[in-house]
Amino acid sequence: MRRARRDRLALKPMTHYARSEHPGDGTDHPSPGRRPTFTSWLRSRSDEELTALLRARPDLAQPVPADIGALANRATSRNAVLRALERLDGFTLQVLESVVALGDDRLSEPVGALPADLAHGLGSSPASTAVRDALDTAVDTLSSLALVWPDHGRWRPVQVLRELLPHPARLGPPVRVLLAALAHGTVARLADDLVPHSTASSPVETVATALSDPDRVGALVGQVDAPARRLLDSLAWGPPNGTVTDARREVALATASSPVESLIARGLLVPTGDDTLTLPREVGLFLRSGVLFREVDTTPPAFEGRAVDADTVARAAAGQAFVVLRAVEELMERWSREPAAVLRNGGLGVRDLRRAAQAMDTDDATATLYLETARAAGLLATDDRLSGEWLPTREYDLWRESPPERRWLRLVRAWLDSDRAPSLAGSQDTGGRVRNVLGPGLVRPTAPQARRDVLAELGSAEPGLAPDEDSLRARLTWRHPRRRSPLYTELVAAAVTEATALGMIGMGALAAHSRPLIADDEDASAALLAPELPQPLDYVLVQGDMTAVAPGPLVTELARELALTADVESTGGATVYRFTEASVRRALDAGRGVADLTSMLERHSRTPLPQALRYLVSDVGRRHGRLRAGTASSYLRCDEPALLTELVGDRRAADLELVALAPTVVVSGLTRAALMERLRHLGYHPVAESGDGVMRLSRPEVRRAEPDAIPAAEHTTTPVLARAAVRALRAGDEAATIARVPVELPDNGGAAARAKALTEVLERAAADERRVWIGYTDTDGRQVSRIVAPSRVDGGFLTAYDTTRDAVHRFALHRITGVAELSADTG
């Protein structure tokens, strides 16, 4: 097997590819005498290989290019190649730098890097099968990403890599590039010294040819003294630049009097600035004996850390996942009743953040994470009022009815895809303004990638191993060397902390239920998490101190009834609810009766109801509604005259401005809402009534906001979409390259004559069931090519089957810029 893999590097010479008469079959016929191009190689790729390319580089298919030529242009553009470089691991990047260093078309002819030279440059000996196997895999990866392509048995890099990797393997530019920037006289003098009677076309070519010969470079290096050789050795492994005074001095072999001058006179160092000398690539390769890197690691460094029990990890992470769900639910329910205000910049104030952290029983940093995650999941948003408040959304009600594992998955999926960095909340921007939670300034486009990198690397560790931070950082550095930056390092550290707080990591190791998420398998993740989560309970333990203990999560209906009847006193492994006069009155205000409350508690309590709790409920119920408030400004009505007499005589109620109109009616100068609030503080329990004397009992208003429009995250293109894009590419390429005979349309006679001639051509094609080529201006003003099978022409429109889109479309005749017969219809 290894022999077979090595043989793949021994590429056969390739000739120019011409489009097949049968587009879409992935085959091309060679056209002798013409050099192959990147576009022709890309066109020769099979549909499966193009599908793999679009999946590995999804940005190439957004939007789908018009044809293979457009795909080639996009694949070799600066930004697209930069994104592809970020996907390479350390060894594959070294292989690519080797191809750029050895395959630069400015070095010598023929261009491209030989597989044997690549293996030697990476320090591979004939007996080193490990490096050669890794090299095979790396070259396959680079080829599948369209970063390198084969040319007559050599590997060539795409052109833009010369700009993006100016010093591959820490080598300098080719001598031909360095000499081209010097004055003609300087290069001519150097050429005369090195090759006195050269027949080359130019002095630059003379020197470049001489230095491309390793034996000639060796002879020149052997002529310099020890200090000059030490100077060369100091630049050999990079960086290839050195600083010296008056680097552009005029020097010849006969006048060189110092080590630096002797090197300049022999072309071993070339001036590239007033005080800068550069070691040419050819000289650097000689000094390294053809080896490109001092160290070559074909695999990432081994994990280091401590061993932990995998089952314990799963339980710890699942327990934290349960904490997340309960915290989010608790805050959403509280903000349903008492929303937090929205700052003018759209964020959340510090005081509201601290209240939220207290409600969720956590610290400010974790509360920030939960809030940002809930918003990213569409559970939290601002209302449409002018003042603005943070409210749960309608999606929250649906989310709460879902199974716990599905609720958790929605939260972590939103966190994974969100481009906001909660860890930046509280810091200052460049203008000195504080970045608020849920406010602007927290967007970091690289955040989703950093999180996925961390999870993927932790997922590569053996189950039960908790890697230490240095070990994880070292592996990520090897895995993605182009992503090293202070921001990326900060996002990686934050990702570990946040994944732990969300229940994806337990005891420093990735939990079993988090591993399927690396492959976007939510069903498998839910199946692993469900057994680890506490099951919802339909009972509580009512105790004699006016509390009820929920030993686990409660079913939705019981949780809501208990939240209405009692106040949460503490959370943890169990939730403690406390019954108070105010909490019982809250339930009565929502329309519950004394019998309803007692029956609910008896039905769901595993312990007998204490007598004190029964007394509390009945006593509050007996006093509830005895007073009724209306609008006078306001009035009080009561069937018990003694109670009104007591209230009018109460000194604490002097500010109510009460006046008795009848034994059972008292009016006040306050509004009804203010009157009821004041009476409640005095220990009375009034209820509102309508104009016809009917009590108005209602549950507290439940307000909801519309979810924010969260931009869709960029994912790897699915196989179905990638295959559809390839079909569109093949069809578009056929339309752009197929041989065709243009149909002459009249230039004189006006638009009517042209439209008539065009209609006749299309109608004949429809009658003969022939395909034709049309040039078309789409609604965006772009000029596109289409191969269509006309069906009918009427009303100024052509109805035809569009092979490019694989669908029937209507084309406006006035937008058709040209029509042509196909010389060989493949229809």
Side-chain angles (χ1 to χ4, degrees):
M1 178 63 69
R2 289 177 178 172
R3 176 64 177 273
R5 290 178 59 83
R6 287 197 297 271
D7 288 344
R8 279 188 291 170
L9 282 174
L11 301 171
K12 295 181 179 180
M14 302 176 66
T15 54
H16 178 69
Y17 299 103
R19 284 296 300 142
S20 169
E21 288 286 324
H22 302 281
D25 60 3
T27 63
D28 292 86
H29 297 291
S31 177
R34 297 179 59 185
R35 292 192 61 85
T37 63
F38 177 77
T39 302
S40 64
W41 170 77
L42 200 61
R43 182 173 287 124
S44 73
R45 306 289 278 173
S46 67
D47 288 354
E48 291 73 18
E49 290 169 330
L50 287 179
T51 300
L53 171 62
L54 296 184
R55 294 203 65 201
R57 298 175 64 179
D59 54 302
L60 299 185
Q62 297 174 359
V64 177
D67 51 39
I68 297 295
L71 175 64
N73 289 334
R74 188 178 299 176
T76 56
S77 65
R78 178 184 177 87
N79 290 337
V81 174
L82 279 174
R83 284 190 287 267
L85 290 179
E86 290 189 354
R87 295 181 170 91
L88 303 183
D89 60 43
F91 179 71
T92 306
L93 184 60
Q94 285 183 324
V95 173
L96 180 60
E97 290 190 35
S98 302
V99 174
V100 174
L102 301 177
D104 196 317
D105 56 13
R106 300 167 296 180
L107 284 172
S108 61
E109 291 288 344
V111 298
L114 283 169
D117 293 338
L118 289 178
H120 177 68
L122 292 167
S124 173
S125 63
S128 178
T129 58
V131 175
R132 287 183 174 270
D133 288 345
L135 176 59
D136 288 346
T137 302
V139 170
D140 286 346
T141 300
L142 295 173
S143 177
S144 66
L145 291 172
L147 294 175
V148 302
W149 56 286
D151 177 6
H152 293 84
R154 297 171 178 263
W155 289 106
R156 293 184 62 180
V158 296
Q159 192 76 3
V160 73
L161 285 172
R162 296 197 318 194
E163 174 188 346
L164 299 180
L165 301 174
H167 298 292
R170 295 168 67 87
L171 289 167
V175 68
R176 188 175 276 104
V177 176
L178 298 176
L179 295 177
L182 297 181
H184 177 77
T186 301
V187 180
R189 189 164 34 254
L190 179 60
D192 290 340
D193 284 343
L194 297 183
V195 186
H197 304 291
S198 173
T199 59
S201 59
S202 67
V204 171
E205 194 64 28
T206 298
V207 178
T209 302
L211 294 183
S212 64
D213 181 4
D215 294 335
R216 186 61 184 272
V217 174
L220 293 173
V221 171
Q223 296 172 6
V224 302
D225 56 15
R229 179 57 192 262
R230 286 196 296 271
L231 179 58
L232 287 178
D233 291 339
S234 67
L235 299 175
W237 292 98
N241 301 318
T243 302
V244 66
T245 303
D246 191 16
R248 297 187 184 275
R249 70 190 76 170
E250 296 293 335
V251 180
L253 279 177
T255 60
S257 60
S258 67
V260 170
E261 291 183 352
S262 66
L263 295 174
I264 297 175
R266 290 170 174 81
L268 300 178
L269 290 179
V270 178
T272 54
D274 292 338
D275 57 358
T276 304
L277 293 173
T278 299
L279 185 73
R281 184 173 302 177
E282 294 86 345
V283 180
L285 287 171
F286 171 81
L287 295 174
R288 299 184 187 185
S289 301
V291 177
L292 295 172
F293 301 95
R294 280 178 169 173
E295 296 182 0
V296 175
D297 294 320
T298 60
T299 57
F303 271 120
E304 296 180 2
R306 69 183 193 281
V308 291
D309 181 67
D311 293 337
T312 305
V313 169
R315 287 194 296 270
Q320 184 61 31
F322 167 68
V323 171
V324 173
L325 296 179
R326 185 174 58 188
V328 171
E329 290 175 15
E330 176 64 28
L331 183 66
M332 295 299 100
E333 291 297 320
R334 175 166 299 194
W335 280 7
S336 295
R337 303 186 301 267
E338 303 172 6
V342 178
L343 297 178
R344 263 188 303 184
N345 69 353
L348 182 71
V350 176
R351 292 183 180 178
D352 285 325
L353 173 61
R354 290 174 179 169
R355 293 192 190 101
Q358 185 177 9
M360 293 187 286
D361 194 21
T362 187
D363 55 72
D364 290 358
T366 307
T368 298
L369 171 64
Y370 292 168
L371 287 167
E372 290 284 352
T373 303
R375 185 188 185 188
L379 309 181
L380 177 66
T382 58
D383 64 358
D384 55 1
R385 298 190 180 185
L386 183 61
S387 57
E389 292 176 325
W390 290 104
L391 290 168
T393 65
R394 302 183 188 280
E395 289 291 322
Y396 166 71
D397 297 310
L398 299 175
W399 174 81
R400 187 168 181 179
E401 297 299 328
S402 304
E405 62 274 13
R406 292 293 175 179
R407 281 182 274 158
W408 179 80
L409 280 171
R410 179 162 179 172
L411 290 175
V412 297
R413 171 63 67 189
W415 172 74
L416 275 172
D417 294 340
S418 174
D419 61 357
R420 293 177 61 82
S423 59
L424 296 179
S427 62
Q428 293 184 347
D429 60 15
T430 55
R433 295 179 294 271
V434 176
R435 300 185 178 99
N436 295 105
V437 183
L438 302 176
L442 301 185
V443 173
R444 295 295 181 272
T446 56
Q449 188 62 62
R451 293 164 187 154
R452 292 182 180 275
D453 289 348
V454 168
L455 293 183
E457 204 58 46
L458 290 176
S460 67
E462 291 294 328
L465 176 66
D468 57 40
E469 293 183 8
D470 293 338
S471 173
L472 177 61
R473 191 180 305 111
R475 285 181 68 94
L476 285 173
T477 299
W478 183 90
R479 193 76 66 183
H480 304 289
R482 295 279 299 186
R483 291 179 183 162
R484 285 183 295 181
S485 68
L487 175 61
Y488 182 77
T489 301
E490 182 181 348
L491 291 174
V492 165
V496 175
T497 303
E498 292 168 3
T500 303
L502 290 172
M504 303 185 75
I505 297 175
M507 302 181 68
L510 193 67
H513 58 259
S514 301
R515 292 178 181 270
L517 286 177
I518 300 174
D520 294 327
D521 190 349
E522 294 190 9
D523 292 336
S525 179
L528 291 171
L529 177 61
E532 302 293 341
L533 286 174
Q535 295 302 309
L537 306 176
D538 63 351
Y539 66 88
V540 293
L541 306 175
V542 180
Q543 303 186 101
D545 60 350
M546 296 294 187
T547 61
V549 178
L554 300 176
V555 294
T556 301
E557 188 59 32
L558 177 57
R560 287 181 172 172
E561 289 296 323
L562 208 56
L564 185 65
T565 311
D567 298 321
V568 175
E569 186 171 80
S570 65
T571 58
T575 304
V576 178
Y577 295 87
R578 178 165 295 280
F579 298 97
T580 65
E581 186 174 302
S583 68
V584 173
R585 186 179 70 243
R586 184 172 65 233
L588 295 174
D589 285 342
R592 307 298 189 269
V594 173
D596 297 331
L597 297 180
T598 304
S599 174
M600 183 270 293
L601 293 173
E602 288 177 339
R603 188 167 60 254
H604 292 289
S605 176
R606 288 287 181 90
T607 57
L609 289 188
Q611 195 67 30
L613 180 56
R614 293 180 183 273
Y615 285 157
L616 174 65
V617 174
S618 60
D619 183 57
V620 174
R622 178 178 57 81
R623 291 181 287 139
H624 184 265
R626 294 166 66 189
L627 288 177
R628 302 188 186 182
T631 302
S633 291
S634 60
Y635 67 85
L636 290 174
R637 186 171 67 83
C638 182
D639 296 333
E640 303 176 30
L643 180 59
L644 286 181
T645 302
E646 174 189 339
L647 178 59
V648 171
D650 193 335
R651 294 181 179 178
R652 298 176 301 164
D655 59 330
L656 301 183
E657 304 174 9
L658 299 177
V659 177
L661 298 182
T664 58
V665 179
V666 173
V667 295
S668 170
L670 303 182
T671 63
R672 183 175 66 182
L675 176 62
M676 292 180 63
E677 183 67 23
R678 184 75 178 96
L679 289 173
R680 286 187 179 125
H681 284 125
L682 295 177
Y684 297 93
H685 304 278
V687 296
E689 71 174 12
S690 60
D692 57 3
V694 177
M695 286 194 298
R696 299 175 59 183
L697 299 177
S698 62
R699 189 182 182 91
E701 179 186 7
V702 177
R703 295 171 53 199
R704 292 291 183 259
E706 293 298 326
D708 292 333
I710 305 297
E714 178 182 334
H715 292 297
T716 301
T717 305
T718 64
V720 174
L721 292 177
R723 286 192 292 268
V726 170
R727 288 195 298 270
L729 277 170
R730 293 294 191 194
D733 203 49
E734 178 192 25
T737 61
I738 195 169
R740 54 186 181 266
V741 179
V743 175
E744 295 294 335
L745 297 176
D747 292 331
N748 51 7
R754 185 180 184 281
K756 180 180 178 181
L758 179 61
T759 301
E760 291 176 353
V761 172
L762 296 175
E763 286 179 341
R764 284 199 305 270
D768 297 340
E769 297 183 352
R770 288 182 293 103
R771 300 189 308 163
V772 295
W773 174 94
I774 62 171
Y776 193 74
T777 304
D778 64 14
T779 55
D780 294 328
R782 296 177 301 178
Q783 299 293 326
V784 296
S785 298
R786 294 284 187 265
I787 293 179
V788 298
S791 174
R792 66 177 183 272
V793 182
D794 58 2
F797 285 89
L798 163 67
T799 302
Y801 172 76
D802 184 354
T803 59
T804 307
R805 299 182 180 180
D806 195 20
V808 175
H809 279 274
R810 282 166 57 85
F811 300 90
L813 292 181
H814 70 275
R815 290 182 176 273
I816 297 178
T817 59
V819 62
E821 301 283 357
L822 303 184
S823 60
D825 192 350
T826 61

